[in-house]
Every structure is written in structure tokens, then in C-alpha cells.
Amino acid sequence: MKILHTSDWHIGRTFHAHSTLAHFERVAEAMADIVREQRVDVVVVAGDVFDSAVPSAESYEVLTRALRGLRATGAKVVVTSGNHDSATRLGFQSEWAAVAGVHVITRHQALHEPVTLGDVFGPVHFYGIPYLEPSLIRHHYPDHLLRTHEQALGFAMGRIRADQEARGGRSVVLAHCFAVGVQASTVERDITSGGLDLVPLGVFDGPDYVALGHIHSRSTLSERVRYSGAPLHYSFSEGSSVRGGWLVELDAAGLTDTTWVDFPVPRAARELTGTLDDLLGDASLAPYEGHWIKAVLTDEVRPLDGMRRLQQRFVHCVALEHRPAVTHDAGAETYAERVTQKSDQQIVSGFVEFVRNGSGPSDFERQLVSETLVALDT
């Protein structure tokens, strides 16, 4: 059996207020081409199908087209919910979706009830663990201590292992969590109220393969436990990360091979650093003119109208930061100490030097200040 492991589609997410729906559709089409070319049997999505618990109508339409494209290849689809999803909304009418070959697992009460699909070697049981927030599920299981994600996932895996032992055959688990040994980017939403709640790798002992979601970059925790990452770049901190999924192969004995397959990047994200004039005039930056751009300007003085001028060359420049190459140490003096026994001209010059990180007023500005002060005295 061939399985394509994906996660964190985040349909409906914006990139600095710009829609990414069209970009996701391009990736979804490429995903279907890969599934067809590689003769994939099952596509799994390990949580965060949507970016919001209340997706827009257009987001639902995009998901429908993506699933239709995957099913047109003949592959089945197994989906579970993440912390961004509303389990209720995502799982609505999942019974009828399963008839069409799209299996949506969102109910914690049924996490030990697998979707069983077969190949020439027999059954493969797909267990989906929807995102389990301990504070929201612990009252359903009063006999179990469920205060952390480790405890919640340990409880879920215990039920899955017991069911798997009774059924026999091979198994794949989908889960959405922070697992030990991975590093988050700037966009994964914290899944606890007081900091990261990590799940040890040993919690996932047992299945032939564990398809994890929540981290937006690919990561291999062991040969059989992996993150696929998100299909798009959702922040500049992710700009250097490849995008794609894991092609997982099972034979009669279980996991036999995992291969990375790349997805296209409709618009790459890149951070450019330099003075405004450098960024506007450097011919070597031409390949990035169609990228999402974050500009870090190193000019001593923040340029006026910098974003508009940058967008004349980099149409998709969406973020600007002023980070002067030279910074001024103002010392520990208070404002009162800095202005004591100083003339008005010196006070104004000192203020300009302070706000410009050490660069004082020009001769023209000094003359203008002098004339203004004289006019105020008359």
C-alpha cells in the first residue's frame, strides 16, 4: 500500500492579509498529479484542514475541489481534525463522506475505531486521533488522569494499541500535537494555555507508521514517526523550508520505505536586507520580484514612503522592518539630565541625534532650526 502523508492545509489562512486560497488550489492540483503518477492508495491529512473553526464558504468550496481531485485519482482520503479546526464542523456528515471514500475522523469517542482499507497483503487500519484538548475531554473519562497532552495522547494510544492487538494486521495513526524533538516556526498556535505541552516519542510505540501534524516543517522523529509540514509557506520564518509530503509504503510485514515528494511553491517567501536604495537598485535581486517579500531596511534614518517605493519593484512586498545598521547608545542619563544647561539649539540637535540613532541634523536642518528659534523669540 502507498500512502501520501500530508498535514496542516490551513485552508483560508492569509499571508500578511493576502488570501492564499488560489495558491493552495495549485498545490492541491499538483498533489493529485503526484497521487496519480505514484499510484498512491491513500492520502492522509493529519489535522488543521482549515485555518479557522468557522471557515468561509469559499474555504469549503476549495476543500471540496481538493478532495474531488484526489478521489478522481482513485485514492481514498483519511482526515482528522487539528487545533485550528472545529471538530464538529469538519466532521459534519462524515458518515456520508465515507461512502464516497473520504473518511473524516473527529470524534474522540471513536478514536479506537479505525478506518480499515485493504491491499494484496490484507487490511491496514487507519486510526485518527483528533486534536485532544485535555480540559475539554477529561470529564468524559473521569477514571483517567488527563491534564496534559502527553496524558491525553497516551490514553488515546492505549485504546488504539488494545484495539490493534485484537484486530491484528498493520496500522497507521494520524495525530496532531507537539512531539519531543521538533522546533516550531512563528505560526503554529500554542496548544496550551501556559506554554508548549510536549508529547514524548515513546507515546507512539506500536503502529507501523505515525503521520503527525501541527509543525509546519518536515521532521523525522524516527523511521516510523514523522511530520510532513504544511503545503504552503505561512510566514517568513518558514521561507527556507521545503514543501511536500511523505510517500509511505507498506508491505506484508509493515513499513518498508518512506520517500519525500516535493510540492510546488506558488509564491516563495524571502527576507531581503539592505538600504532602500540597495534593494531598489540591485540587479541580482530580480529573481525575487515575484516573491512574498519582507524588507529589512538598514538605512540610518527610516525612509519616507519606503513600502510604496519597494512595491514598485517587489509587487508582493508585504512587510517592512527598519533595523539600522548603526545604532546609537543613548546611555543611562535621564531626559532631564540630558537637557540641563543646554541651549535650545543643542536640545533640538540632541533630540534629532537620538531618534536617528546617532545621526545628527544636517547643515540645512541646523539652519532651519536656528531660523525657527529666532522667529519664536521675536
Side-chain angles (χ1 to χ4, degrees), residues 200-217:
L201 183 59
V203 166
F204 298 107
D205 287 347
D208 294 283
Y209 185 76
V210 179
L212 294 179
H214 190 56
I215 301 301
H216 286 193
S217 298

Side-chain angles (χ1 to χ4, degrees), residues 140-331:
H140 292 285
Y141 309 99
D143 296 333
H144 298 270
L145 182 62
L146 302 177
R147 295 191 176 277
T148 67
H149 283 273
E150 177 181 355
Q151 292 168 343
L153 269 293
F155 166 72
M157 285 301 302
R159 298 184 71 183
I160 288 171
R161 277 190 287 266
D163 184 80
Q164 168 65 21
E165 184 176 351
R167 292 178 188 272
R170 297 155 294 164
S171 63
V172 173
V173 167
L174 290 68
H176 196 85
C177 65
F178 271 118
V180 171
V182 295
Q183 182 175 357
S185 73
T186 59
V187 294
E188 288 94 347
R189 183 181 296 165
D190 189 354
I191 54 175
T192 67
S193 59
L196 302 186
D197 193 351
L198 299 177
V199 179
L201 183 59
V203 166
F204 298 107
D205 287 347
D208 294 283
Y209 185 76
V210 179
L212 294 179
H214 190 56
I215 301 301
H216 286 193
S217 298
R218 71 176 179 184
S219 183
T220 300
L221 305 187
S222 75
E223 283 303 308
R224 37 173 293 282
V225 182
R226 299 170 185 258
Y227 283 97
S228 64
L232 294 175
H233 292 128
Y234 291 116
S235 77
F236 286 102
S237 66
E238 299 175 355
S240 60
S241 300
V242 296
R243 287 299 181 245
W246 290 108
L247 189 62
V248 179
E249 297 189 51
L250 304 179
D251 64 8
L255 180 65
T256 180
D257 191 31
T258 51
T259 306
W260 179 257
V261 290
D262 287 317
F263 294 164
V265 178
R267 179 170 294 133
R270 187 168 184 93
E271 183 176 304
L272 301 178
T273 301
T275 66
L276 179 59
D277 288 342
D278 287 342
L279 298 187
L280 294 177
D282 189 346
S284 69
L285 301 181
Y288 310 123
E289 291 176 357
H291 288 32
W292 294 119
I293 294 295
K294 175 183 178 180
V296 179
L297 299 184
T298 59
D299 304 73
E300 288 188 19
V301 179
R302 186 184 185 96
L304 294 175
D305 212 12
M307 178 63 87
R308 183 190 64 80
R309 294 173 63 190
L310 283 164
Q311 289 177 340
Q312 289 177 343
R313 181 180 187 187
F314 305 102
V315 179
H316 304 291
C317 182
V318 294
L320 187 153
E321 178 183 342
H322 182 222
R323 193 187 303 162
V326 178
T327 58
H328 174 60
D329 184 2

Side-chain angles (χ1 to χ4, degrees), residues 4-58:
L4 180 62
H5 167 197
T6 75
S7 73
D8 296 273
W9 287 7
H10 285 282
I11 297 173
R13 192 181 191 98
T14 59
F15 190 92
H16 290 263
H18 294 263
S19 173
T20 62
L21 288 175
H23 291 175
F24 176 79
E25 292 218 67
R26 285 180 57 187
V27 174
E29 291 169 2
M31 200 184 304
D33 290 339
I34 292 169
V35 169
R36 186 178 295 105
E37 293 164 4
Q38 295 291 335
R39 298 183 179 180
V40 170
D41 301 294
V42 184
V43 177
V44 301
V45 188
D48 281 354
V49 177
F50 291 116
D51 187 62
S52 169
V54 284
S56 66
E58 189 176 6

